[in-house]
């Protein structure tokens, strides 16, 4: 019982901290919850209690993780509760490590809160890269629907997390003065964000794009009758007048294996009547299967192709896939051929002529800021195609869309997001939604493509400003600890 008494408060505080994330966006609940965690750490809370708070945070925020297991509940449904518990508890190990490190950096007392803010920031940054990374649910993401999101143009998502946790720790570490300082910091970030949002928007690209949202239910998507219906529906949307400059279908929206000379691709070109079409497909190359985006040119020939490079573990591939299938019957949920997809060579910009230079992103590639920032040739716009029907209807698709918006702020480049069930939207170079299709409806929408801004500091320097700031603050904490011990 004592074990539960120790952990239950942490689980509750973690769940409250998760309220700041999309779709709730209740930062005014999340920030005090994080500050209360800092208070507990300052009073000597164990690393185990930090783990409990992290577990509550991730369990509440990532509750959508059970949805893929319920697409075929008779096969995978039994795994759903284990997936949520193991995912939340596993990610919370980073919080446990942060609590352990803070206890060794600072003696019990107010300043340990500041040490924990720094170690938790470092742990969350590592979470974005360790074991292929999962930079979903960073504390700094709570500001995405506020003007403070604009700070990501300078310090990225990890920098936002650092500023958030410093603001949460300051009242604990420095009392009333720290609380005032935290309010001044957040107010300054908000004022700077409002200033950026009020500055003149760049001229549009002069292009009209057609976003197609077929709204295919995942459990019916590959049924032969439904596949034919969805294919015909998307052809009708593609053929509708007036003609746009580009038609975009979502991830794996062609319900047949892609063959550039095949009947299905030919039907798309015939419906487009000379309009280029970008669509998500599954294709084979020898024994390997790929989750790809292809662009069919005006003549129906393949003008460009991108193979997804950052695959979803267990969603699109299973480590040691053949063995996992033979021994345990496990295969990747999203892959429809073999036991999983093969990874493409990496991010790259597609030059589509008058349509501009495009950075394609498939599904959750858009949640990785370093992946998006790693291309050398700066694109004119980003195109994310995705199938968020896997994520349910409560919170997963909205979190995914929010994280993609942050990439537009970091890069100063507009983002076009086309999703099977939604969220389908256009985001300008400051992260503002300029057009969208209602979630969960069958529709298409013709939209104007916004213009891009000059490169942002994050676009130029990546994680370096964040790392230098974090290192400097670590140096201050160590110097204070040394002075105290002396």
């Amino acid at each position: 019982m004592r074990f539960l008494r120790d952990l239950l408060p942490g689980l509750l505080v973690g769940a409250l901290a998760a309220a700041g994330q999309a779709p709730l966006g209740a930062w005014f609940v999340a920030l005090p919850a994080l500050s209360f965690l800092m208070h507990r750490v300052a009073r000597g809370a164990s690393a185990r209690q930090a783990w409990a708070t992290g577990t509550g945070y991730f369990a509440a925020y990532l509750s959508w993780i059970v949805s893929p297991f319920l697409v075929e509940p008779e096969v995978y449904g039994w795994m759903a509760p284990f997936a949520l518990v193991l995912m939340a508890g596993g990610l919370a190990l980073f919080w446990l490590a942060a609590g352990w490190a803070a206890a060794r950096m600072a003696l019990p007392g107010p300043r340990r809160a500041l040490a924990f803010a720094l170690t938790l920031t470092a742990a969350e940054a590592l979470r974005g890269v360790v074991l292929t990374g999962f930079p979903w649910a960073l504390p700094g993401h709570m500001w995405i629907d506020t003007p403070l999101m604009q700070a990501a143009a300078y310090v990225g998502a990890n920098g936002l997390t650092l500023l958030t946790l410093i603001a949460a720790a300051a009242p604990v570490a420095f009392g009333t003065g720290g609380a005032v300082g935290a309010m001044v910091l957040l107010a300054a970030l908000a004022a700077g964000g409002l200033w950026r949002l009020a500055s003149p928007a760049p001229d549009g690209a002069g292009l009209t794009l057609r976003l197609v949202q077929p709204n295919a239910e995942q459990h019916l998507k590959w049924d032969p009758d439904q596949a034919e219906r969805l294919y015909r529906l998307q052809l009708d949307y593609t053929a509708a007048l007036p003609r746009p400059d580009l038609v975009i279908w979502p991830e794996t929206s062609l319900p047949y294996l892609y063959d550039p000379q095949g009947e299905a691709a030919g039907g798309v070109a015939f419906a487009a009547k000379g309009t280029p079409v970008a669509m998500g497909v599954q294709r084979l190359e020898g024994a390997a299967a790929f989750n790809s985006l292809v662009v069919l040119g005006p003549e129906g020939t393949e003008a460009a192709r991108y193979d997804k490079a950052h695959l979803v573990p267990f969603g699109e591939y299973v480590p040691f896939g053949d063995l996992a299938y033979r021994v345990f019957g496990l295969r990747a949920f999203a892959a429809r051929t073999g036991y999983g997809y093969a990874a493409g060579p990496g991010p790259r910009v597609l030059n589509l002529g008058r349509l501009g230079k495009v950075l394609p992103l498939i599904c959750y590639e858009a949640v990785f800021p370093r992946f998006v920032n790693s291309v050398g040739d700066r694109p004119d716009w980003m195109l994310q195609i995705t199938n968020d029907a896997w994520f349910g209807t409560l919170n997963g698709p909205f979190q995914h869309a929010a994280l993609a918006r942050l990439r537009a702020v970091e890069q100063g480049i507009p983002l076009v997001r086309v999703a099977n069930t939604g969220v389908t939207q256009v985001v300008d170079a400051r992260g503002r939604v300029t057009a969208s299709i209602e979630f969960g409806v069958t529709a298409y929408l013709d939209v104007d493509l916004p213009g891009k801004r000059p490169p942002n500091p994050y676009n130029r320097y990546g994680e370096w400003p964040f790392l230098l700031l974090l290192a400097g603050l670590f140096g201050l904490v160590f110097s204070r600890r040394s002075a105290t011990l002396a």
Side-chain angles (χ1 to χ4, degrees):
M1 292 300 294
R2 182 178 179 182
F3 177 77
L4 290 177
R5 286 199 303 270
D6 286 345
L7 297 187
L8 284 177
L11 292 172
L12 177 60
V13 171
L16 291 174
Q21 305 289 348
L24 294 179
W27 60 267
F28 45 86
V29 174
L31 193 61
L34 289 173
S35 191
F36 182 73
L37 171 61
M38 302 295 173
H39 171 72
R40 295 190 74 202
V41 169
R43 294 189 63 182
S46 67
R48 185 179 66 191
Q49 290 168 325
W51 173 83
T53 304
T55 300
Y57 175 78
F58 291 114
Y61 185 57
L62 300 175
S63 58
W64 55 264
I65 202 69
V66 304
S67 297
F69 298 90
L70 302 179
V71 172
E72 297 181 76
E74 69 284 359
V75 179
Y76 300 110
W78 65 273
M79 299 181 186
F82 296 100
L84 179 59
V85 171
L86 292 175
M87 184 79 161
L91 294 177
L93 291 175
F94 288 92
W95 292 42
L96 183 148
W100 177 87
R104 279 144 186 81
M105 284 181 60
L107 298 172
R111 299 199 192 282
R112 182 177 285 185
L114 183 59
F116 181 63
L118 300 181
T119 58
L120 184 55
T121 297
E124 286 290 88
L126 286 173
R127 184 166 64 83
V129 296
V130 172
L131 297 177
T132 76
F134 190 64
W136 197 300
L138 298 180
H141 290 157
M142 72 171 70
W143 306 112
I144 286 177
D145 281 324
T146 76
L148 281 77
M149 174 173 68
Q150 300 301 313
Y154 303 92
V155 293
N158 286 322
L160 274 180
T161 292
L162 174 60
L163 295 171
T164 301
L165 295 178
I166 289 294
V172 179
F174 306 112
T176 302
V180 172
M183 288 188 288
V184 170
L185 171 64
L186 296 178
L189 292 174
L194 290 171
W195 175 79
R196 288 191 89 246
L197 291 169
S199 61
D203 293 335
L207 297 172
T208 300
L209 311 178
R210 176 165 297 168
L211 317 184
V212 175
Q213 181 173 293
N215 196 34
E217 296 180 71
Q218 190 59 44
H219 70 286
L220 297 175
K221 182 176 178 182
W222 303 108
D223 176 85
D225 293 335
Q226 291 297 319
E228 179 67 15
R229 182 187 67 81
L230 290 167
Y231 175 67
R232 296 296 174 188
L233 171 72
Q234 292 175 108
L235 291 183
D236 290 342
Y237 285 171
T238 299
L241 298 176
R243 301 284 182 189
D245 295 297
L246 176 68
V247 178
I248 306 170
W249 294 17
E251 181 187 15
T252 62
S253 51
L254 187 70
Y256 312 105
L257 275 176
Y258 170 69
D259 177 356
Q261 308 301 323
E263 183 177 344
V268 175
F270 181 80
K273 294 291 194 295
T275 300
V277 179
M279 60 183 178
V281 304
Q282 296 178 99
R283 69 180 194 88
L284 293 177
E285 187 174 306
F290 293 89
N291 182 359
S292 305
L293 178 143
V294 299
V295 180
L296 300 182
E299 304 302 321
T301 57
E302 186 180 290
R305 184 179 71 228
Y306 168 72
D307 297 323
K308 186 176 182 183
H310 207 307
L311 301 178
V312 181
F314 297 98
E316 293 175 311
Y317 79 97
V318 176
F320 308 104
D322 291 353
L323 180 64
Y325 183 78
R326 287 197 301 268
V327 176
F328 301 106
L330 294 179
R331 57 165 289 163
F333 292 112
R336 303 304 300 180
T337 57
Y339 308 126
Y341 292 126
R348 67 189 187 95
V349 174
L350 305 179
N351 190 336
L352 301 183
R354 69 182 189 88
L355 296 173
K357 293 184 290 186
V358 182
L359 174 63
L361 303 165
I362 300 179
C363 192
Y364 97 143
E365 287 181 327
V367 310
F368 293 90
R370 292 174 65 250
F371 183 89
V372 174
N373 205 45
S374 63
V375 293
D377 189 12
R378 190 169 188 248
D380 299 309
W381 55 289
M382 295 177 284
L383 171 59
Q384 182 195 16
I385 60 170
T386 185
N387 176 20
D388 287 358
W390 287 105
F391 300 159
T393 60
L394 182 61
N395 53 5
F398 305 101
Q399 294 170 8
H400 196 197
L403 300 184
R405 285 176 57 198
L406 197 56
R407 302 292 84 79
V409 176
E410 291 166 348
Q411 299 299 317
I413 295 171
L415 169 78
V416 177
R417 188 175 198 274
V418 183
N420 169 28
T421 56
V423 176
T424 296
Q425 59 187 16
V426 177
V427 179
D428 73 8
R430 294 187 182 90
R432 297 175 296 194
V433 177
T434 62
S436 64
I437 300 176
E438 185 178 349
F439 180 80
V441 302
T442 304
Y444 74 89
L445 180 68
D446 288 348
V447 299
D448 294 328
L449 178 64
K452 70 176 180 179
R453 292 173 55 85
N456 291 326
Y458 182 82
N459 183 238
R460 292 179 182 273
Y461 307 115
E463 299 292 335
W464 282 110
F466 156 70
L467 292 173
L468 290 173
L469 180 58
L470 181 63
L473 291 172
F474 264 120
L476 286 175
V477 170
F478 273 115
S479 65
R480 287 181 178 274
R481 181 176 186 271
S482 300
T484 301
L485 293 176

